[in-house]
Amino acid sequence: MFDGMPRRVVSLWFPRLASDRALRLRPVDGPFALTFKHSNANRLYCLNRDAEQSGLHRGMSYADARAFCPGLHSRPATPDGDRRFLHILRRWATRYCPWVGLEGSDGLVLNITGSAHLLGGEDALLADLRDRLTRAGFTVQAGLADTRGAAWALARHGEGVAPTGEALTALAKLPVAALRLDDDTSVALQRLGIRSIGDLAAARRAPLARRFGPGLLMRLDQALGAQPEDISPLPDPPHYGVRMTLPEPIGLLADVMAGTRRLLDQLCAKMKTHEVGARQLCVTLRRLDQDHQQVELRLARPLRDPHRILPLFERGLAEVEAGFGIDQLRLEATQVDPLPAQQISHVADRGKDQLDDLVSRLGTRIGLDNIHRFLPADSHIPERSFIIAPAAYSDPERGWSRPRPRPLCLFPPEPIAGTGPQPPARFRWRRMSLTTGRVTGPERIAPEWWLEDDNWRSGLRDYWRVETTQGRRLWLFFTPQNPGWFVQGEFA
């Protein structure tokens, strides 16, 4: 790609990435540190400049840090958020060159070969990088050299620029740790009197290889350019969108559906390649007057079958105002979920697919969030033995168990008149006078003492199935510890 042109690499190091990111969200004056829990003790994770000048350092116990610096401000660290933000910085850095990769958890590496002149040269590019990052509130150190290893060493141990072909001259006075060596190897080399990269380059290679293995010399050769080291940029996430520009405007629903079908075939083929399914789709229709209309579709399950998706678009597309005609269609999957390939069988149950399609079709009318299903819960308390979940974001479960019959209709306990532990022969409920015909029970249910529930403060409950002579089949319970009778449900 850059034949005949020497490669130039920039390494960026953010020594305070985590604390700088936290302070951008909520600024703090004075010493500040992020903490993390390690071995049942809070330790310092990342510090700002004021905290370092106060004598604090990473890995220090938080209790010791507060003793040294009583005015220290702290917050819990969020490494996952730092990683996501580093990816955001990587995308931002592509303004300078297309090849940008990650360098550990706190750095970036840029291959600026052939692109530095677009910003006025290498010095102007580095100055612009530092200026923009500093104004954004980040501490950054940069190194520029012919190799990735040399740029890394300069960024972390001697911020500067190595002229083309003079990597050894620029690195000679840096410590051997600048070669990305582990601590044990660095200490062992210093004990031998090899403290700088220049000393290592001047030493005999055979004894070093026998004692430290090939990894030491490989790092040295990579830094000096004797051995290549690639820069692998992170690939951009796949974009699930297709577009069709029409030679003549259309306006009939059949024509719009035909165009949407062709776009769905292309989009579903792309999603199949990446083993994902669409959860939310959007069709954008551009009219001749440059206005556009959108039709969104939310699915109950990840889907990439065009024959099942297309009919779900018909209702929304039928309401589109074509105006003087539509000359462009664009289909995009705005939300996708993993959908791995499955073994196809002639005995596969298609009932689940039909239910999902029904939920999706109903969701286009009333909204997916308004369609719910009941799921079993691990509790013997009647009102806690189930949960209500959105049907589009949950799977049906077969864990329902019925050791004792339960009423189809449950409601908050309603008191009735009655005395003694046996169901009353006659009672009045909801302005109805009822006579007990047949009773079944009791079933004693104890409260879950580990949960706070005001409804169960009366203690134990003895449940009875009561069939009245008027045809009502009720679920009654008696509270022995605080005598009283209540109705809580009705059987079908």
Side-chain angles (χ1 to χ4, degrees):
M1 181 176 180
F2 302 111
D3 293 341
M5 183 183 299
R7 191 171 78 161
R8 300 293 282 171
V9 179
V10 173
S11 179
L12 299 178
W13 180 41
F14 303 93
R16 304 184 187 92
L17 176 66
S19 60
D20 288 344
R21 185 179 74 89
L23 291 175
R24 287 180 76 241
L25 300 175
R26 289 166 51 194
V28 170
D29 293 330
F32 172 80
L34 295 174
T35 63
F36 74 105
K37 196 167 187 178
H38 179 70
S39 299
N40 293 327
N42 280 335
R43 298 190 176 276
L44 302 188
Y45 176 76
C46 188
L47 304 81
N48 68 347
R49 189 183 302 274
D50 293 338
E52 291 178 350
Q53 292 176 351
S54 300
L56 308 183
H57 58 83
R58 292 194 179 193
M60 188 178 187
S61 169
Y62 179 68
D64 293 341
R66 288 300 301 269
F68 276 99
C69 183
L72 178 66
H73 300 273
S74 65
R75 296 176 203 160
T78 54
D80 291 340
D82 298 333
R83 283 192 290 269
R84 289 193 296 269
F85 190 76
L86 187 62
H87 282 263
I88 295 175
L89 286 177
R90 185 203 68 82
R91 292 188 60 185
W92 170 83
T94 55
R95 63 181 291 123
Y96 297 99
C97 64
W99 286 58
V100 183
L102 300 182
E103 193 73 270
S105 61
D106 56 2
L108 300 174
V109 56
L110 296 76
N111 187 351
I112 63 170
T113 306
S115 61
H117 69 282
L118 300 176
L119 287 95
E122 296 177 352
D123 294 337
L125 185 147
L126 287 179
D128 188 69
L129 261 172
R130 290 194 185 96
D131 181 63
R132 291 178 182 272
L133 290 171
T134 301
R135 282 191 282 111
F138 291 99
T139 303
V140 61
Q141 294 182 204
L144 174 60
D146 295 339
T147 65
R148 180 176 182 175
W152 189 95
L154 289 172
R156 286 163 173 77
H157 295 273
E159 186 177 14
V161 177
T164 303
E166 300 182 15
L168 181 57
T169 303
L171 302 179
K173 296 183 179 180
L174 299 184
V176 290
L179 292 176
R180 296 173 289 176
L181 304 176
D182 58 83
D183 294 339
D184 293 339
T185 302
S186 299
V187 172
L189 288 171
Q190 293 177 26
R191 289 175 178 174
L192 295 176
I194 302 176
R195 292 181 170 80
S196 66
I197 296 178
D199 297 336
L200 182 62
R204 297 177 58 187
R205 297 174 64 92
L208 292 175
R210 286 195 299 267
R211 180 161 183 170
F212 297 99
L216 172 63
L217 297 179
M218 180 191 69
R219 286 302 191 189
L220 177 63
D221 292 340
Q222 286 177 342
L224 300 182
Q227 193 168 119
E229 184 177 9
D230 293 333
I231 299 176
S232 300
L234 294 181
D236 292 328
H239 176 68
Y240 301 104
V242 290
R243 184 176 59 184
M244 174 190 299
T245 302
L246 304 171
E248 295 290 339
I250 60 175
L252 298 178
L253 175 61
D255 296 336
V256 176
M257 290 289 290
T260 305
R261 182 178 64 250
R262 293 183 61 180
L263 293 178
L264 271 173
D265 292 337
Q266 302 175 31
L267 180 62
C268 291
K270 186 174 183 178
M271 291 192 295
K272 184 178 181 180
T273 303
H274 293 89
E275 294 193 348
V276 297
R279 286 299 299 264
Q280 187 169 338
L281 294 159
C282 179
V283 175
T284 304
L285 304 99
R286 191 185 68 182
R287 305 191 312 191
L288 287 178
D289 57 2
Q290 300 304 311
D291 191 13
H292 68 276
Q293 298 186 45
Q294 291 184 338
V295 177
E296 292 188 352
L297 175 65
R298 297 174 64 191
L299 302 174
R301 287 289 182 273
L303 197 60
R304 58 167 178 257
D305 186 352
H307 301 289
R308 293 173 58 188
I309 298 176
L310 183 62
L312 303 176
F313 268 117
E314 184 172 1
R315 181 173 180 270
L317 293 176
E319 299 177 355
V320 171
E321 293 290 340
F324 293 103
I326 298 170
D327 64 347
Q328 187 182 91
L329 300 175
R330 189 174 186 274
L331 176 63
E332 182 181 6
T334 55
Q335 181 181 348
V336 296
D337 285 347
L339 184 61
Q342 297 179 351
Q343 180 67 37
I344 298 177
S345 173
H346 67 283
V347 296
D349 183 14
R350 297 192 58 84
K352 185 177 183 301
D353 293 342
Q354 295 174 357
L355 177 60
D356 293 340
D357 292 347
L358 175 62
V359 173
S360 299
R361 190 176 295 276
L362 293 175
T364 59
R365 296 176 178 269
I366 64 175
L368 287 178
D369 295 334
N370 296 321
I371 305 175
H372 301 92
R373 64 160 48 99
F374 291 95
L375 300 176
D378 187 14
S379 176
H380 59 271
I381 302 298
E383 54 267 33
R384 292 180 182 165
S385 60
F386 64 92
I387 58 175
I388 300 177
Y393 307 105
S394 60
D395 295 320
E397 296 187 15
R398 303 181 182 275
W400 295 98
S401 61
R402 294 182 59 189
R404 300 287 181 89
R406 291 290 184 262
L408 184 62
C409 179
L410 275 177
F411 43 80
E414 300 175 0
I416 60 173
T419 58
Q422 298 296 322
R426 290 182 176 84
F427 59 93
R428 190 172 181 83
W429 174 68
R430 293 185 178 179
R431 299 182 180 181
M432 294 183 293
S433 296
L434 302 175
T435 303
T436 301
R438 185 174 65 175
V439 298
T440 305
E443 176 190 355
R444 175 160 289 186
I445 297 179
E448 296 175 339
W449 54 266
W450 57 91
L451 296 176
E452 290 289 339
D453 192 343
D454 294 337
N455 295 326
W456 282 77
R457 290 188 181 278
S458 57
L460 301 173
R461 293 181 182 180
D462 291 336
Y463 280 88
W464 297 79
R465 293 180 61 195
V466 176
E467 298 182 14
T468 65
T469 57
Q470 288 78 15
R472 296 282 183 172
R473 303 172 63 225
L474 304 177
W475 207 35
L476 278 66
F477 69 84
F478 175 71
T479 53
Q481 297 175 351
N482 187 13
W485 280 95
F486 300 84
V487 181
Q488 191 180 3
E490 185 173 8
F491 293 90

